[in-house]
Amino acid sequence: MDGLAVPSHGLKLLSGTANRGLAEEIARNLGIDLCRVNLGRFADGEISVRIDENVRGNDVFILQPTNPPAENLLELLLLIDAARRASAARITCVMPYYGYARQDRKDQPRVPIGAKLVANMITAAGVDRVLGVDFHQHQLQGFFDVPVDHLYAMPVFTAHYRKMQLNDPVVVAPDVGSAKMARGFAKRLNASLAIIDKRRPQANVSEVVNVVGDVEGHDCILVDDMIDTAGTVTEAARALKGLGAKDIYICATHALLSGPAVKRLNDAPIKEIALTDTIAIPEERRPKNLFMLSVGELISKAIRFTHSEQSVSSLFD
Ligand code: R5P
């Protein structure tokens, strides 16, 4: 595989239980076996962790997205602690999805800054580096006092859409916050840009106030970092259809797909939903018209480059 032809000596990849499929794909790309780890439960439900092979002096990468349940985060912390106490030479936390990142500032009285708390816990557990994909805010990198390599899934999506014959596509940002990402996306696809003015009257409720840009007669690609309850993208899809858009494609890196998400996606005027595998999606949570894309190759390259002390920045483009 391109960019992976360097020795993997001393490299160990450990996985929690949150996304074993992605970990296995990365191990395959790297040409190594996943490190043997025993992850179980005590009778009362507490997590027990044991690394079942020697990692002393090794360059250890621990993969675990921290989407709910919170046990995923706890498992990650326990794996890091186990690797540190087993004398790993370097520990990199590979977090395809950074959960608890949405509360990232004190914008109301008496709220926590959950994203900072989680970063503190991961750092205190003993990581030397963090490797992440599409953080909810790019500046979350600064919440860690260890080096962070922040990858973008955008090239995975743009490669997918380049293969399709879309009708004069417009890339649509579903809210003002995602306008910058959507602009980069549109530039790569040589498409035009539209931005939705979204209002959130309350958490997890989304209302489209206005659409800025011309979408009539165009295929639209709505891009977001995550789909949680799918209110944002399905309301946006309806608004675009109402303005005469042709086919509507949706892409999002992180598939939380909670509560009513699958029903909303199935009922909305959407031609295709492209999601990545940063979060494992069980069969029963898969919407119709789903197209799965993998970030496995991207993460494999980042791991290999990190391990061999090569620049990772080519993967940030
Ligand atoms: C907002 O800042 C995010 O980019 C997503 O648009 C949002 O979190 C998606 O949530 P939901 O799917 O519940 O509308």
Side-chain angles (χ1 to χ4, degrees):
M1 175 174 294
D2 178 34
L4 295 186
V6 287
S8 59
H9 178 72
L11 189 165
K12 296 270 185 191
L13 177 63
L14 281 69
S15 173
T17 54
N19 198 345
R20 185 89 187 172
L22 177 61
E24 281 165 0
E25 188 195 336
I26 293 170
R28 254 193 318 277
N29 283 339
L30 292 169
I32 59 174
D33 290 327
L34 278 178
C35 183
R36 289 194 310 278
V37 174
N38 190 311
L39 289 157
R41 294 285 174 134
F42 293 102
D44 62 355
E46 281 184 7
I47 299 164
S48 86
V49 165
R50 191 182 65 228
I51 300 173
D52 275 344
E53 53 186 274
N54 181 23
V55 296
R56 186 178 292 264
N58 286 147
D59 192 11
V60 171
F61 293 79
I62 302 177
L63 185 133
Q64 178 91 321
T66 57
N67 53 294
E71 274 82 356
N72 288 339
L73 172 62
L74 212 47
E75 213 178 66
L76 171 65
L77 297 172
L78 293 167
L79 281 167
I80 295 167
D81 190 67
R84 183 170 55 84
R85 292 176 195 280
S87 307
R90 180 171 70 172
I91 302 171
T92 301
C93 163
V94 184
M95 207 165 34
Y97 172 69
Y98 181 175
Y100 283 89
R102 279 176 280 192
Q103 283 194 304
D104 61 0
R105 61 195 179 281
K106 202 159 176 238
D107 57 354
Q108 298 166 53
R110 300 175 295 283
V111 292
I113 303 183
K116 176 62 179 154
L117 176 64
V118 168
N120 285 350
M121 289 196 286
I122 290 171
T123 310
V127 295
D128 299 289
R129 312 183 58 86
V130 172
L131 176 59
V133 183
D134 283 349
F135 285 173
H136 193 51
Q137 306 285 350
H138 294 188
Q139 58 269 30
L140 294 183
Q141 295 168 52
F143 282 15
F144 294 91
D145 282 328
V146 293
V148 176
D149 290 312
H150 181 230
L151 306 175
Y152 302 103
M154 192 194 296
V156 176
F157 289 121
T158 50
H160 171 64
Y161 291 119
R162 272 197 209 106
K163 288 185 211 142
M164 298 168 99
Q165 299 292 315
L166 297 183
N167 185 23
D168 208 359
V170 180
V171 173
V172 184
D175 52 37
V176 177
S178 40
K180 190 169 171 215
M181 175 189 42
R183 194 177 308 118
F185 211 102
K187 195 168 159 212
R188 280 167 170 268
L189 288 178
N190 210 8
S192 47
L193 176 70
I195 299 172
I196 291 181
D197 179 14
K198 173 180 98 175
R199 203 170 71 93
R200 269 214 191 280
Q202 50 184 282
N204 286 128
V205 178
S206 154
E207 267 176 33
V208 173
V209 179
N210 196 11
V211 179
V212 183
D214 180 22
V215 296
E216 192 176 350
H218 295 268
D219 285 337
C220 291
I221 306 172
L222 262 160
V223 295
D224 211 343
D225 64 328
M226 64 167 79
I227 298 181
D228 186 0
T229 62
T232 299
V233 289
T234 54
E235 284 305 303
R238 283 203 182 84
L240 295 173
K241 264 288 175 208
L243 290 170
K246 212 167 159 271
D247 289 335
I248 296 172
Y249 296 81
I250 296 204
C251 65
T253 310
H254 308 300
L256 288 158
L257 302 179
S258 39
V262 175
K263 179 166 182 356
R264 283 178 175 173
L265 290 168
N266 287 344
D267 292 348
I270 297 168
K271 174 101 174 171
E272 183 198 84
I273 304 155
L275 298 169
T276 82
D277 53 359
T278 57
I279 294 173
I281 315 176
E283 217 44 63
E284 66 281 6
R285 301 292 300 157
R286 293 182 178 221
K288 66 178 190 192
N289 306 336
L290 171 67
F291 194 96
M292 284 302 295
L293 292 163
S294 182
V295 291
E297 186 175 342
L298 183 70
I299 295 179
S300 312
K301 284 184 178 171
I303 289 177
R304 179 64 81 194
F305 291 171
T306 304
H307 175 64
S308 58
E309 306 290 359
Q310 295 178 71
S311 168
V312 176
S313 60
S314 61
L315 302 176
F316 299 158
D317 294 338

